[in-house]
Amino acid sequence: MAKSGKIKYKPGDIVTIPLPEARFAYARIFEDHTFGIFAHWSAKPEPLAQVATHPIAFFVSGTDSAIKDGTWLVVGHVPFQDAEASFPPPVAICYDYDSNTWTMGRPMVTHKGTEKFVTAKEVAGLDRLLFCHKPALVAATIVDRLIDGNHAYYKVRPSGSSSSAAAAPALAPQVMQVAPNPSTTGPWGARAQENDDASDWLAGLEEEPGLGLGRIDEAFDQVLSAEPSAYLEVTECAEVVAAATVLAKMHGLAFAADIASDECMAALAKRAKRRSPKSTAALVQRALLALAAVQDPERSELRGLMVTQEHADLGAAWSKRMGQLVRGLKAAHRRLASA
């Protein structure tokens, strides 16, 4: 749900992260949506002076929505010595943990927005890039590593290792492995359906296509009913893009052809025939307004995750896709308005 207003923060800030079972962890904010997790947890919140005496145990990449809505409290600031120190260490990308292979053919890392190939020796022991797209997943990862001591799953396995992979934690299917660009395999992508939240929304649409137009309108409403300055979380943003893309397919836009099955689209078309051109034009206009909010760099968590220095190619592809979607829906709106 959209929150009213948002809290600003900067690298070097220290935040308190509530964990299950009335426990608290602490993190220092680094660049690139990364949290340095202190090697310490407590049964009640502790002051900065006590927290900052502990070293950083590991890093977690994830959403900052819980900071912006005030769930994770900023309790102080410890400045970095220089800009270089504000970046987390290199992490492995394009790596399949289960098979212990590299999807680009050889080891690859990302650091400070730059991706490069490295040797097996250089990547040995590094964490792999996993992105927690919900605050609860950040907390679950912290529990798994900090409290339960399960680190193996999050790291690159030894080169040539024939040993069994470490058991994946229960949260694993919900944590995204971020690919460096849209051409590589991975749950992030420029298309609307290449996102877990959007995929879930589309699956619901396929199950009950007769309710589709209502679901589309609800997706737009959760953004449009929020206050103008409200922070929009990744789930609601992803659902807006998915709903708008379905609407685009209903109006014959070719790039949206694979967003939903023919059976689902037929059911939607049947429902749409009951609406007047004026009513449909109003729905398209709502889609355009919601998409404008999703592309707002000050409000949209989805845009903040997609358009980053670290994944410039993915951000460019996503922005291009959004531009196509907006232009196509504007053309559809003009046709409907003149009907």
Side-chain angles (χ1 to χ4, degrees):
M1 179 178 293
K3 307 293 192 302
S4 58
K6 63 178 181 178
I7 296 171
K8 295 185 180 295
Y9 67 90
K10 58 183 179 293
D13 283 353
I14 309 298
V15 295
T16 299
I17 302 177
L19 302 177
E21 300 180 15
R23 296 172 293 191
F24 297 88
Y26 307 89
R28 190 182 189 190
I29 299 173
F30 284 72
E31 297 284 2
D32 295 337
H33 289 279
T34 301
F35 306 101
I37 309 302
F38 287 97
H40 175 69
W41 63 274
S42 60
K44 61 181 180 180
E46 295 181 351
L48 172 64
Q50 189 168 345
V51 171
T53 61
H54 299 276
I56 298 295
F58 55 89
F59 295 84
V60 177
S61 295
T63 175
D64 61 359
S65 62
I67 302 175
K68 291 180 175 178
D69 69 18
T71 303
W72 296 355
L73 297 179
V74 176
V75 295
H77 180 81
V78 178
F80 289 102
Q81 292 182 343
D82 50 42
E84 178 81 15
S86 68
F87 286 90
V91 289
I93 56 175
C94 299
Y95 172 71
D96 183 81
Y97 178 78
D98 291 330
S99 64
N100 197 19
T101 58
W102 300 89
T103 59
M104 298 294 285
R106 51 185 172 141
M108 193 175 188
V109 301
T110 182
H111 184 226
K112 294 169 51 180
T114 300
E115 297 146 4
K116 65 177 182 178
F117 291 108
V118 295
T119 65
K121 182 178 180 180
E122 289 175 301
V123 83
L126 289 186
D127 277 5
R128 54 200 184 99
L129 181 56
L130 298 170
F131 190 89
C132 300
H133 68 294
K134 295 181 180 179
L137 298 180
V138 176
T141 301
I142 293 172
V143 170
D144 197 42
R145 300 192 69 174
L146 180 63
I147 297 177
D148 296 339
N150 299 322
H151 295 285
Y153 175 76
Y154 303 89
K155 294 182 175 294
V156 174
R157 295 166 62 190
S159 178
S161 172
S162 58
S163 59
S164 299
L171 61 94
Q174 305 174 66
V175 179
M176 295 183 175
Q177 292 195 52
V178 184
N181 61 63
S183 65
T184 61
T185 58
W188 280 116
R191 298 188 303 166
Q193 61 268 49
E194 293 176 333
N195 172 291
D196 284 354
D197 294 303
S199 295
D200 290 344
W201 186 89
L202 290 166
L205 183 69
E206 293 282 353
E207 290 175 3
E208 297 183 287
L211 303 177
L213 292 179
R215 288 176 61 86
I216 289 172
D217 203 29
E218 287 173 1
F220 302 149
D221 186 64
Q222 64 183 342
V223 168
L224 297 178
S225 63
E227 295 182 9
S229 61
Y231 183 66
L232 306 174
E233 295 183 355
V234 65
T235 297
E236 55 201 3
C237 291
E239 290 178 356
V240 163
V241 177
T245 306
V246 171
L247 197 57
K249 181 172 181 177
M250 291 176 64
H251 292 280
L253 300 182
F255 69 85
D258 59 351
I259 191 66
S261 68
D262 291 342
E263 293 78 9
C264 179
M265 296 308 300
L268 289 173
K270 184 177 180 179
R271 294 278 180 172
K273 288 181 179 179
R274 303 175 186 176
R275 302 173 68 118
S276 67
K278 182 178 180 180
S279 175
T280 304
L283 181 61
V284 174
Q285 180 63 29
R286 284 169 58 77
L288 290 167
L289 292 172
L291 287 170
V294 168
Q295 295 177 88
D296 186 342
E298 293 299 316
R299 298 182 63 196
S300 172
E301 183 181 15
L302 179 61
R303 186 191 184 282
L305 297 177
M306 299 297 285
V307 183
T308 66
Q309 289 184 347
E310 189 172 5
H311 302 291
D313 290 346
L314 178 58
W318 183 80
S319 296
K320 180 180 179 181
R321 193 78 173 188
M322 293 294 289
Q324 287 179 315
L325 183 55
V326 168
R327 289 191 297 273
L329 288 176
K330 282 184 175 179
H333 184 265
R334 287 194 295 270
R335 291 194 299 270
L336 291 164
S338 62

